[in-house]
Structure formats: structure tokens, C-alpha cells
Amino acid sequence: MTSSTRRAVLELLQDAQLRPDPGVTAAEVGAALGLHVTTARFHLERMVTAGVVVTAERRGSVGRPRKIYLAAEAGTAPLASPEALQAFTELLTSAYAGAADGSPVDPEGAGRRWVEERSTAPAPPSAASAGAWLGKVGMAVDLLDEWGYRPELRTTDRGRTVELTLQECPFLTMAKAHPDVVCGIHRGLIRGTMATVGEEAADVDLQPFVTERTCLARLTTTADFRRGALS
């Protein structure tokens, strides 16, 4: 299943919001979309994790209350792909791997290792111009886009500092509950990406929740570019 299935699920939930009794069960989602109830529940729970769906209980006249799913208030948030969700699960496991023996949780290290372990090419030299530096920052932008963010980019200091405004975190619910872990993983992903493109010394600062649903990443190179160099 791909994110197109989850978009169909989200549209179904949004339509249900217009009913006098909003919210649908996993069985109702499955019946409407031709999915097995277990498959429907799997997608719904992943969307809950991503923060685009919330749950509630519907009590009937008899029997146990049923779990229902509703579209979150900001239902247009991007949906993380199944691959990104799977990778994020692996990163959470890695971040907590050493905690059982008393070692500190290392979410940033987990994010960085995830990127570096998937890079096979040797790191190129650090950028010698603003144009080359911005091209390398583009690698981090591409990664964030793959993970479901909507990064907006602006530069300052003649291109030496790049600010990435990250809209609508696809892991918003988890990030609000555990910002040290979730935001630490994302900081590590950015640091790892910059290291693999030869910018190990770049300064990476991530400020979570500068607004209710926006984070800000600031990447600054330590290089002293030649005046007027563009590429």
C-alpha cells in the first residue's frame, strides 16, 4: 500500500466530519475502501502516529465502546510515506537501543548514523563558494521532502546561512509528546546529510515549534567564500 491509500482514508474521514455523528471505525473504513479490517486499522494507526488522524470512543446502548477515527483539525498535513514511517520506527528503536543497559538515549546519533550508513560514496571536499554550498544544502532539503515535510528556504549572510522553515511535521503528535527524541532524530538526519556531502563542520541548529506547527532549521557554513564566487 502507498500513501495514496492513506489519502483515500483521510478523504473518507473528512467527509465523515460533515455527518451529525462524525468518525468511522476501522471496519467501516475497510468496507468503504475494499480493505481488510486489519489493513485499514494498520493505515489508520500509522496516520494517528503521523498526527493527521485522532481517535475517540463511541458508546452504544449496549456492549463495549467502539474506537472511532476522525480527521485531525489540520487535515491537510502531509502524509509520511510508508518507507519514511518504517525508517522512523527503525530510528526510534536505534535511539533507545542502549537505554536498557543504562546508556543515555541518543536520538541525534541515531538519525546521523541512519544517513551515513546509507551513503556509499566518499564525502566530497567542502564547498568553496555560496553556489556550491547551496547545492549541498539541497541534499538536506530533498531528504526532508522525502520524509514528508514542506521545507521553505531562505538565505542570509550572502548565502552562508540557510534557514529551512519546516511546515506541518508528519510526526507532529510524537514530536509534541517527545520533542527531545523526535527533533533530535531530525537534527541528526540533517547533520548526517551535511557530513556525507562534505560539510562536516557546518553548524546545524534546529528550533522546534517556533509556531504551533512550524520548526526552523538553520544551517551555516564555516567556510570563508571568495568574494563574488557564485559556483
Side-chain angles (χ1 to χ4, degrees):
M1 295 293 176
T2 66
S3 58
S4 62
T5 300
R6 293 180 189 170
R7 293 194 181 281
V9 171
L10 185 58
E11 289 174 0
L12 179 67
L13 297 183
Q14 290 172 334
D15 290 342
Q17 302 285 73
L18 303 176
R19 302 185 321 205
D21 187 18
V24 295
T25 65
E28 290 169 337
V29 169
L33 299 181
L35 303 174
H36 189 278
V37 64
T38 301
T39 303
R41 186 176 294 109
F42 169 82
H43 286 290
L44 286 162
E45 291 298 328
R46 288 300 181 96
M47 293 168 73
V48 170
T49 299
V52 295
V53 171
V54 296
T55 63
E57 288 187 347
R58 176 183 292 158
R59 295 185 178 276
S61 56
V62 295
R64 298 175 57 186
R66 295 185 297 166
K67 185 175 185 178
I68 60 172
Y69 298 85
L70 304 96
E73 181 178 353
T76 58
L79 299 181
S81 68
E83 294 78 12
L85 288 168
Q86 177 62 35
F88 196 78
T89 301
E90 294 174 1
L91 281 167
L92 287 174
T93 302
S94 176
Y96 282 97
D101 62 6
S103 301
V105 176
D106 184 19
E108 184 172 323
R112 178 165 180 155
R113 287 191 300 273
W114 187 88
V115 174
E116 292 176 343
E117 288 170 359
R118 285 157 179 77
S119 176
T120 57
S126 59
S129 69
W133 158 249
L134 292 175
K136 292 188 174 187
V137 172
M139 303 288 188
V141 172
D142 289 345
L143 176 66
L144 291 167
D145 184 71
E146 290 174 7
W147 279 68
Y149 288 95
R150 295 172 177 169
E152 297 178 0
L153 181 151
R154 67 181 293 266
T155 64
T156 59
D157 191 20
R158 295 180 179 271
R160 295 183 69 254
T161 295
V162 180
E163 292 184 350
L164 302 176
T165 302
L166 308 179
Q167 307 280 0
E168 304 291 0
C169 173
F171 308 101
L172 185 63
T173 300
M174 287 188 291
K176 286 186 173 181
H178 305 285
D180 53 335
V181 175
V182 176
C183 298
I185 285 175
H186 291 141
R187 189 183 297 109
L189 290 171
I190 297 172
R191 287 188 187 278
T193 299
M194 299 312 294
T196 60
V197 297
E199 301 300 331
E200 172 78 28
D203 179 63
V204 177
D205 177 51
L206 180 61
Q207 300 177 28
F209 301 117
V210 293
T211 71
E212 182 68 17
R213 305 181 70 85
T214 302
C215 299
L216 178 66
R218 185 178 288 108
L219 287 65
T220 302
T221 179
T222 58
D224 183 15
F225 299 142
R226 297 186 303 275
R227 185 176 180 81
L230 296 176
S231 61

